[in-house]
Amino acid sequence: IPAFVMVRGNMAEPHGMNFEGMKRRGYSPELIAKLRNAYKTVYMRGLKIEDALAQLEADAAEAPEVKLFVDSIRASTRGSVR
């Protein structure tokens, strides 16, 4: 499961990100918007995973949290829920 992503079901499926937890931890609205865009790029735009991650590399330089999201997907040895 990638960083910040929530899943549900017996066959785990992504069910959004933990935005409420991000707000409680003091994440800025701009950072939350970047993470929301990252989630949409990976899960909702119909791109191959490598193409989606390549698009996110630009935002990853500006926001370490987006880099953490991208790195957690890349570091998976068993694949990622999609």
Side-chain angles (χ1 to χ4, degrees):
I1 300 171
F4 308 110
V5 175
M6 297 186 304
V7 296
R8 70 174 175 189
N10 190 2
M11 291 297 289
E13 294 180 357
H15 185 65
M17 295 184 107
N18 187 3
F19 297 115
E20 191 60 38
M22 291 179 207
K23 290 176 189 175
R24 284 188 203 132
R25 291 183 180 260
Y27 285 30
S28 70
E30 294 82 16
L31 178 56
I32 292 173
K34 285 183 182 190
L35 287 166
R36 179 173 280 137
N37 181 51
Y39 178 86
K40 288 180 180 179
T41 300
V42 171
Y43 291 102
M44 301 176 122
R45 296 207 172 116
L47 301 171
K48 292 181 182 179
I49 192 71
E50 285 303 319
D51 295 337
L53 295 177
Q55 284 186 5
L56 295 176
E57 293 294 329
D59 280 343
E62 297 175 17
E65 290 81 1
V66 174
K67 181 171 177 20
L68 175 63
F69 176 69
V70 171
D71 289 346
S72 67
I73 295 171
R74 287 196 190 276
S76 174
T77 58
R78 300 174 122 195
S80 181
V81 294
R82 247 181 124 191

